[in-house]
Amino acid sequence: MDTFPLELVLLIFRWIDPCLVFKFRRLGSRYNSVLIQKHFAVANVEIACGHCWSNWSHDDWMKYNRLWFRTPPSFQEAFAEIVLRKSFINWGFADIVGPIPNSLYGLTHLTSLTLQNNALSGTLSDKIGTLKYLKMLNVGSCKLTGTLPSSIGDLARIKSFHVFGNDFEGEIPTEIGNWSEAQYLSFYDNAFSGQIPNSIGRLTNLVYLNLAKNELCGLIPPELNLCECLEYLALNENELTGEIPEMGALVNLKVLNLSRNRLSGCIPDTFGNLRELRDLRLSFNQLETMIPKTLGQLTQLFKLHLSGNISISENIPIELTSLRLLERCDFPPLIYFLPRNQWSSNDMDSDSGDDWEW
């Protein structure tokens, strides 16, 4: 093969399916030198995919998508230019292995990118900020590492951002405050540290925020009370300290999980404003006080966890008799106080929040 003219090698092998073309590497150094050339990659991908990719089945897409992550940069660029013309990419649960190709960050037309549950490696490049039209990014459970780049703040159109279940570390960039359209943010189950950025208070359209199972420390930012659209807030299993801040403006909140931190002080009276609340978890902190009588206004409450605190009084305010929908509780004095409620047989389950269907 090394004696063949280069033009002949190009002419013959550009007709081979891209999934097979790399199986001929033992033919010689000349063939291998052809494989890394951009113009060969373009010709090969164009012949195999250029005129038929719009008719591909799901299996066809998955075959070439997995291949793309394993090919040299020249093929990755050619595939991106010729095939990936859609505004959305969904490669979740696709058995993809390897780092995110740099050419992916060149797809500036993308509005949605899903890579969830793959065996990716490496980190999220600071080039992510070039995807300025991106509205949804999901790289959850992808084995990514490193820190989140500050350039994520350039994703000004982002509505859903999910990086849960990875090995990210370092601080959550304060630039997320630029996401004025953000609605759903999942950072849980990583190793993020430092404080929750105060800039999160600028996300006034936020509906879902999950920062659980990290190493976040310091105070819960009072600016969270500005996120009046919030329906789900999970900060459990961190190292947060200080008192629970004012949250009375979060009148749409349905789930609030602050368990397994080091929060101190009292349960705020203004929790009584959260009339839509179904699930309230404050267990395993350092709270000490009576249960405020204003909790009796939470007539939609289904679950309440209070155990594992320093000293919460067993004297239950009479106003809590209005909690007729309460079925799951880990605080025995309240269970005895409401004998007519339909209690679940055992509610000493995890405070992770994973058992709540939201």
Side-chain angles (χ1 to χ4, degrees), residues 47-199:
I47 290 171
C49 311
H51 303 294
C52 62
W53 63 266
S54 59
N55 296 319
W56 281 354
S57 67
H58 176 76
D59 290 341
D60 290 330
W61 273 107
M62 289 300 100
K63 177 179 71 172
Y64 286 107
N65 292 342
R66 286 191 288 268
L67 174 71
W68 187 49
F69 278 77
R70 300 195 299 267
T71 55
S74 57
F75 270 80
Q76 293 174 349
E77 293 170 11
F79 190 75
E81 294 171 7
I82 295 169
V83 180
L84 300 180
R85 299 171 182 171
K86 302 184 298 181
S87 62
F88 66 93
I89 291 177
N90 185 350
W91 293 341
F93 299 87
D95 298 321
I96 293 173
V97 178
I100 299 175
N102 280 330
S103 52
L104 184 64
Y105 301 113
L107 303 177
T108 55
H109 58 282
L110 277 181
T111 60
S112 177
L113 174 60
T114 297
L115 297 171
Q116 181 183 351
N117 279 81
N118 286 294
L120 305 182
S121 58
T123 188
L124 201 61
S125 168
D126 58 3
K127 296 178 182 178
I128 189 67
T130 62
L131 304 181
K132 298 184 184 297
Y133 292 99
L134 206 59
K135 295 181 180 180
M136 199 277 282
L137 176 66
N138 187 345
V139 291
S141 299
C142 281
K143 300 184 179 180
L144 295 171
T145 59
T147 60
L148 288 182
S150 60
S151 61
I152 63 173
D154 295 332
L155 305 177
R157 292 178 172 85
I158 204 74
K159 292 187 176 182
S160 297
F161 185 88
H162 306 287
V163 293
F164 59 86
N166 285 290
D167 293 311
F168 286 118
E169 57 187 6
E171 296 186 355
I172 296 174
T174 188
E175 287 81 2
I176 67 171
N178 297 339
W179 296 346
S180 60
E181 299 181 27
Q183 295 179 323
Y184 305 96
L185 305 182
S186 300
F187 293 81
Y188 68 87
D189 198 12
N190 281 282
F192 289 116
S193 58
Q195 297 187 348
I196 300 171
N198 295 336
S199 60

Side-chain angles (χ1 to χ4, degrees), residues 8 36 64 99 116 126 149 184 187 196 224 248 258 261-263 305 332:
L8 183 59
I36 62 174
Y64 286 107
Q116 181 183 351
D126 58 3
Y184 305 96
F187 293 81
I196 300 171
L224 270 174
L258 304 180
N261 281 287
R262 290 184 286 158
L263 300 171
H305 279 190

Side-chain angles (χ1 to χ4, degrees), residues 196 220 224 233-238 240 243-245 247 253 255-263 268 271 279-287 305 309 351:
I196 300 171
I220 298 174
L224 270 174
L233 176 59
L235 306 179
N236 50 294
E237 297 181 61
N238 281 288
L240 300 172
E243 297 187 355
I244 300 172
M247 291 186 178
L253 207 58
V255 178
L256 175 59
N257 193 341
L258 304 180
S259 62
R260 299 183 186 275
N261 281 287
R262 290 184 286 158
L263 300 171
F271 272 11
D279 186 340
L280 175 60
R281 308 193 197 189
L282 304 173
S283 56
F284 296 98
N285 280 290
Q286 298 172 13
L287 301 173
H305 279 190
N309 282 287
D351 277 304

Side-chain angles (χ1 to χ4, degrees), residues 296 316-324 334 337-338 341:
I316 308 299
I318 191 66
E319 288 82 0
L320 268 64
T321 55
S322 62
L323 303 182
R324 296 183 180 89
L334 183 57
F337 184 74
L338 299 173
N341 285 37

Side-chain angles (χ1 to χ4, degrees), residues 200-273:
I200 209 163
R202 301 206 297 266
L203 308 185
T204 55
N205 291 306
L206 201 57
V207 174
Y208 176 101
L209 176 62
N210 195 335
L211 303 177
K213 298 183 181 179
N214 282 290
E215 299 170 12
L216 299 169
C217 61
L219 305 178
I220 298 174
E223 288 83 358
L224 270 174
N225 199 42
L226 300 174
C227 302
E228 296 182 5
C229 293
L230 264 179
E231 297 183 16
Y232 184 109
L233 176 59
L235 306 179
N236 50 294
E237 297 181 61
N238 281 288
E239 299 174 12
L240 300 172
T241 56
E243 297 187 355
I244 300 172
E246 170 62 48
M247 291 186 178
L250 305 182
V251 294
N252 295 298
L253 207 58
K254 294 180 174 63
V255 178
L256 175 59
N257 193 341
L258 304 180
S259 62
R260 299 183 186 275
N261 281 287
R262 290 184 286 158
L263 300 171
S264 57
C266 303
I267 300 172
D269 287 339
T270 53
F271 272 11
N273 295 344

